Amino acid sequence: MRGTQRSQIISTKLDQIAEQAVEHPERVFTSLIHHIDEDFLREAHRRLNKSAAPGLDGMTAKEYAENLDENLKALHERMKSGKYKAPLVKRVWLDEEGKKRPIGISEYEDKIVQKAVAMMLEAVYEQDFSDFSYGFRAGRSPHQALQEIRKQSMGKEIGWIIDADIEGFFNNLGHSEMREIIKRRVNDGGIIRYIGKWLKAGVVDGETLSYPEKGAPQGGVISPILSNIFLHHVLDEWYEEEVKPRLKGSSFLIRYADDFVIGCEMEEDARRVMEVLTKRFERFGLSIHPEKTKMVSFRKPPREQSGGKGKGTFDFLGFTHYWAKSRQGNWVIKRKTARKRQRRAMKRAWEWCRKHRHEPLREQYWKLSLKLKGHYQYYGIIGNYQMMEKLYWHVVETWTYWLNRRSHKKSMTREQQEVFRLVYPLPPPQIVNAI
């Protein structure tokens, strides 16, 4: 059987499960694990990111695929016999704004099993998830979430924004709470056991081995769908069924993974939501950060107010949102790169140019161009040109600075720098997303 045929069969199977979830929203699925056969595992392998870093065993996707048939057969046999064990997870630390964020890297074979279970869970839960949930979902993006915030805030006369922060969500997610929430919709013993194995898998950090009593490894293939399932119950359903009907004015919720904002028309409603929000998350072993979570006055300024900007601002998905006058003289919500993200991008550019200054010029030019284009791909939205331009000139000047320090020879003159920039022109800012 050809690969395309296998993929079509698996997609059809998942579509059938999805249709059942739509037709029977109250149904609890108890028999899903048997669908994960060798062909299903092969499709999971096909859908995985092959360039991701290897786990503790060092096995890459390319190496695993060299004996794919034999490897998948042996893997499936271990799964059927109950002998499959979740391998240890390698922990690495990413530097973000001077803080270290832990990432868990599973072994490649384990990623296949995680992907297979994630595909099964997504087939069920994608039918349940709310329209205002945008993170880690097919066909949805952070730019759509940003666009919806602007639309909701301007269309519903929103006056207050609750800018919330869940304290260490992935590190503090309760294992028993997670399993109980999943059982409300998917009570398949095999799937529940696999999830339990992954949540409890040992973590290797340098020479230290630990077994977490709570939390899910951020970076794990299964983690995005688990976080969406958890927060769908804890936050999304709660907001739609219990909070929103009790508010006096209009409101909205926009969530991207564990990052969310709530907008309220009336201050009284916003204060009530702030009060119950903390209690709601505490019920599930989580905390709303008392300092990072704030209620922001974000009402549209009166039309007669001259120029300038509105008073309130908030950050979401890397952008600062604020009221400002359009070219036509109307008050609109604009977005610009948040200060923390801008500083981080500038710092990374500085460190990269310093570290790679001895590489061939053409290679440096190619890599820096890719980095800038990648930045524009996300931050290139209407109204954000100025912030991108600042980064662009920072990169241009930083690159020149470190190239001048590659040796003890005389630095480039201003005229030589101008010629150099003509020969190696870094890509200028570009508006990529018209939102």
Side-chain angles (χ1 to χ4, degrees):
M1 187 185 298
R2 294 181 178 178
T4 54
Q5 291 177 311
R6 290 194 187 96
S7 296
Q8 289 173 355
I9 291 173
I10 300 302
S11 295
T12 300
K13 187 180 296 185
L14 292 172
D15 288 342
Q16 291 171 347
I17 295 171
E19 289 173 7
Q20 294 175 32
V22 172
E23 294 173 4
H24 307 284
E26 302 301 322
R27 177 180 174 180
V28 178
F29 289 81
T30 58
S31 182
L32 292 175
I33 195 68
H34 71 278
H35 290 296
I36 301 180
D37 53 18
E38 283 185 48
D39 285 339
F40 203 100
L41 292 172
R42 189 183 304 274
E43 178 63 13
H45 158 75
R46 189 187 71 81
R47 297 187 185 188
L48 277 174
N49 176 13
K50 307 299 189 299
S51 62
L56 284 168
D57 63 353
M59 176 74 73
T60 64
K62 182 179 180 180
E63 292 169 339
Y64 192 88
E66 290 174 357
N67 296 296
L68 186 61
D69 291 340
E70 294 84 351
N71 287 335
L72 292 180
K73 182 177 181 180
L75 172 60
H76 186 238
E77 286 297 325
R78 277 179 284 136
M79 292 177 67
K80 283 198 306 180
S81 63
K83 295 180 180 179
Y84 185 81
K85 296 181 180 180
L88 300 175
V89 176
K90 179 172 71 174
R91 174 174 288 168
V92 297
W93 294 85
L94 300 183
D95 189 7
E96 292 187 356
E97 289 296 310
K99 296 181 180 179
K100 298 289 185 179
R101 181 166 67 92
I103 296 293
I105 303 177
S106 303
E107 295 180 1
Y108 185 75
E109 189 170 70
D110 196 49
K111 291 177 183 177
I112 294 176
V113 184
Q114 288 191 35
K115 184 64 177 179
V117 172
M119 288 160 56
M120 198 64 69
L121 291 175
E122 286 165 1
V124 175
Y125 280 98
E126 269 299 318
Q127 323 315 314
D128 298 351
F129 288 156
S130 304
D131 287 340
F132 52 75
S133 170
Y134 290 89
F136 306 117
R137 297 180 62 190
R140 288 172 173 260
S141 70
H143 291 112
Q144 291 175 332
L146 292 167
Q147 191 172 21
E148 189 63 19
I149 283 181
R150 189 174 190 268
K151 176 184 174 182
Q152 294 280 351
S153 297
M154 295 178 65
K156 291 185 175 182
E157 298 185 354
I158 295 298
W160 297 85
I161 293 289
I162 296 173
D163 182 7
D165 182 273
I166 305 174
E167 197 166 7
F169 173 72
F170 283 96
N171 294 332
N172 295 304
L173 191 151
H175 294 175
S176 60
E177 289 86 352
M178 181 77 258
R179 288 193 296 270
E180 289 305 312
I181 288 173
I182 292 177
K183 287 180 181 178
R184 294 162 59 95
R185 187 65 155 141
V186 176
N187 195 10
D188 181 301
I191 287 180
I192 298 299
R193 279 193 297 274
Y194 278 117
I195 292 172
K197 289 179 180 181
W198 292 319
L199 292 176
K200 294 179 179 179
V203 177
V204 176
D205 188 349
E207 298 181 356
T208 303
L209 171 62
S210 62
Y211 291 88
E213 296 181 358
K214 59 181 180 179
Q218 194 169 357
V221 175
I222 195 69
S223 296
I225 183 64
L226 292 184
S227 65
N228 269 339
I229 293 171
F230 193 92
L231 289 173
H232 172 70
H233 173 69
V234 174
L235 179 63
D236 301 353
E237 285 185 329
W238 172 71
Y239 167 78
E240 287 189 296
E241 297 172 6
E242 299 185 34
V243 176
K244 190 174 181 180
R246 290 180 170 83
L247 301 181
K248 295 181 180 180
S250 59
S251 68
F252 71 81
L253 166 63
I254 302 293
R255 182 173 67 81
Y256 192 91
D258 61 327
D259 198 0
F260 68 95
V261 294
I262 299 175
C264 295
E265 178 184 358
M266 303 176 65
E267 180 179 0
E268 177 186 353
D269 287 341
R271 295 195 180 282
R272 290 177 62 194
V273 173
M274 281 285 284
E275 290 177 3
V276 297
L277 193 63
T278 299
K279 297 177 183 178
R280 174 65 178 178
F281 276 84
E282 285 177 349
R283 281 184 55 188
F284 296 89
L286 294 172
S287 302
I288 296 295
H289 200 294
E291 296 176 0
K292 294 182 180 180
T293 301
K294 54 186 178 180
M295 198 174 88
V296 180
S297 175
F298 199 68
R299 192 169 302 282
K300 178 181 178 180
R303 185 174 181 82
E304 60 273 13
Q305 180 175 321
S306 60
K309 301 178 181 179
K311 293 182 179 180
T313 68
F314 67 93
D315 291 349
F316 186 66
L317 297 181
F319 290 90
T320 297
H321 301 244
Y322 61 99
W323 284 98
K325 283 284 185 76
S326 67
R327 291 182 179 179
Q328 292 74 32
N330 301 316
W331 285 105
V332 296
I333 294 175
K334 295 187 177 183
R335 289 73 51 96
K336 63 180 180 180
T337 309
R339 288 183 180 179
K340 286 185 178 180
R341 295 291 183 93
Q342 186 81 350
R343 286 198 301 267
R344 184 193 305 172
M346 289 182 169
K347 181 180 178 182
R348 286 178 175 174
W350 176 272
E351 292 296 332
W352 191 92
C353 290
R354 179 186 63 81
K355 183 178 179 181
H356 297 271
R357 65 186 184 274
H358 294 294
E359 292 182 2
L361 276 178
R362 286 190 177 278
E363 189 170 338
Q364 290 187 53
Y365 170 68
W366 178 70
K367 290 180 179 178
L368 280 174
S369 296
L370 284 180
K371 290 179 181 295
L372 280 172
K373 288 178 181 178
H375 185 88
Y376 302 155
Q377 195 68 34
Y378 184 78
Y379 290 99
I381 68 173
I382 294 173
N384 196 39
Y385 189 89
Q386 187 177 7
M387 296 297 284
M388 290 192 297
E389 190 176 40
K390 287 181 179 179
L391 176 65
Y392 166 77
W393 284 113
H394 172 80
V395 173
V396 169
E397 293 166 2
T398 295
W399 191 26
T400 306
Y401 175 88
W402 282 112
L403 287 179
N404 279 332
R405 278 150 184 77
R406 293 205 300 179
S407 67
H408 297 291
K409 296 180 181 180
K410 188 176 180 181
S411 299
M412 287 186 286
T413 64
R414 181 170 296 180
E415 290 75 17
Q416 288 173 326
Q417 289 181 24
E418 290 177 359
V419 173
F420 173 77
R421 291 169 185 175
L422 288 173
V423 177
Y424 296 103
L426 291 173
Q430 183 180 3
I431 301 299
V432 180
N433 303 285
I435 64 170

